[in-house]
Amino acid sequence: MTPITEVEGRRLALSNLDKVLYTATGTTKGEVLHYYARTAAPLLAHLADRPVSFLRYPDGPDGQLFFTKNPPPGTPDWVRIAEVPRRTADTGRQVVVEDLASLMWAANLVVEFHTHQWRADAPERADRLVLDLDPGAPATAVECCAVALWLRERLGADGLEAYVKTSGSKGLHVLVPLERAPSAEVSAYAKGLAVEAEAAMPELVVHRMRRSLRPGKVFVDHSQNAAAKTTAAPYTLRARAEPTVSTPVTWEEVAGCTDAGQLVFRLGDIEGRLERYGDLLGPLTDPDSAAPLP
């Protein structure tokens, strides 16, 4: 029988809690749900008012993976649904995870959480910029760190404060809180930064997505600033071989990285980091930290 749990007055059927999702570590679905319950406060702050897309992996990362923007079948009527613009239609519908109950409902589906760079009350007006640093082998997160440090200095020259997290996969995400601006303008600015980074470090950086250009270099992906795109949210677990987390890190950790393994964090690492550092990406949710787009 599927156990019924009450979360903030909502009754949830949390299923298959003993099921091993990450075979490499033996991590069960119950442990995944426990992680999200313990990390709910900072995660919900970054999901607040942002329509989410889900990468679902109900049988673990070795099973079927599928991406969905539409509310999944069986979505409870108390889960918030937002109307969002779509390229192929006037509007679409996406879930907004705004409280512990909806977070645990979504986590029970076994998902990665991906969000837009804008909020539901102002679609296509971004309040943050993201640059996704993706290393092409044999480059690793070490090379991403060098690029991130260059981008931090370059953004600072424009009066922007940058923050950084691991992608939870191979690379890093550099993020900047912004006063709201059209996504198209943020995208254009981000592309300009990527082009400048390649010009400054041609041996290390590429700004185009073409696979043949990327071996041994860091692809500075600016495209996720487009209004239709989403990026892995801070603190989301990833559908990788091990239960890695997209984890905020300090600039000191970035500057001191000499081995890619130094910036790999799993679900068991996050509570201690929150106790030590708090939410390093907290300024992204603080309107007073936002700066105008140059």
Side-chain angles (χ1 to χ4, degrees):
M1 179 179 293
T2 300
I4 301 296
T5 301
E6 187 169 299
V7 180
E8 296 183 335
R10 306 293 189 184
R11 289 171 57 83
L12 299 176
L14 303 180
S15 59
N16 302 317
L17 299 183
D18 293 331
K19 181 177 184 177
V20 174
L21 293 178
Y22 294 89
T23 56
T25 56
T27 304
T28 66
K29 184 176 177 183
E31 290 172 305
V32 166
L33 294 180
H34 180 75
Y35 163 76
Y36 279 120
R38 298 288 290 181
T39 317
L43 175 56
L44 286 170
H46 292 287
L47 296 178
D49 203 35
R50 295 187 190 276
V52 295
S53 300
F54 295 137
L55 177 64
R56 297 185 61 182
Y57 55 112
D59 296 315
D62 298 325
Q64 183 183 18
L65 280 67
F66 52 101
F67 198 75
T68 178
K69 287 190 173 183
N70 297 321
T75 298
D77 58 9
W78 47 264
V79 171
R80 180 182 170 193
I81 305 297
E83 298 289 328
V84 300
R86 289 279 170 86
R87 289 179 179 175
T88 56
D90 290 338
T91 60
R93 303 171 76 242
Q94 287 178 231
V95 166
V96 179
V97 176
E98 61 182 357
D99 53 31
L100 181 59
S102 55
L103 174 63
M104 298 312 296
W105 162 77
N108 185 61
L109 300 175
V110 189
V111 302
E112 292 182 0
F113 294 93
H114 292 246
T115 63
H116 297 281
Q117 315 315 325
W118 43 264
R119 295 177 179 267
D121 63 340
E124 302 189 3
R125 289 189 61 82
D127 63 355
R128 67 186 183 195
L129 174 149
V130 61
L131 293 165
D132 181 0
L133 310 186
D134 184 12
T140 68
V142 175
E143 285 75 21
C144 290
C145 287
V147 177
L149 290 166
W150 185 93
L151 287 167
R152 182 194 189 194
E153 184 175 348
R154 175 62 186 83
L155 287 159
D158 278 348
L160 300 176
E161 184 72 26
Y163 301 86
V164 64
K165 67 182 178 75
T166 70
S167 67
S169 180
K170 299 177 294 181
L172 298 176
H173 294 158
V174 175
L175 302 115
V176 177
L178 294 174
E179 295 178 5
R180 285 177 172 172
S183 293
E185 294 180 12
V186 177
S187 295
Y189 175 72
K191 181 177 181 180
L193 291 173
V195 171
E196 283 189 46
E198 181 175 337
M201 298 173 286
E203 75 293 343
L204 188 58
V205 174
V206 61
H207 82 276
R208 288 173 290 176
M209 193 174 292
R210 191 184 310 158
R211 292 282 178 186
S212 61
L213 300 174
R214 293 166 61 178
K217 296 188 177 183
V218 175
F219 170 44
V220 179
D221 184 358
H222 51 85
S223 70
Q224 292 175 35
N225 296 284
K229 295 290 189 71
T230 59
T231 305
Y235 304 105
T236 187
L237 275 161
R238 302 304 305 267
R240 300 295 185 265
E242 296 188 358
T244 53
V245 174
S246 184
T247 306
V249 293
T250 69
W251 283 110
E252 290 75 18
E253 288 176 298
V254 172
C257 181
T258 57
D259 182 274
Q262 293 173 238
L263 295 182
V264 175
F265 303 101
R266 301 167 183 84
L267 82 171
D269 299 319
I270 305 305
E271 188 171 358
R273 289 184 63 82
L274 285 168
E275 290 174 357
R276 180 178 180 182
Y277 297 116
D279 180 12
L280 291 167
L281 298 185
L284 291 176
T285 66
D286 180 2
D288 292 336
S289 297
L293 185 71

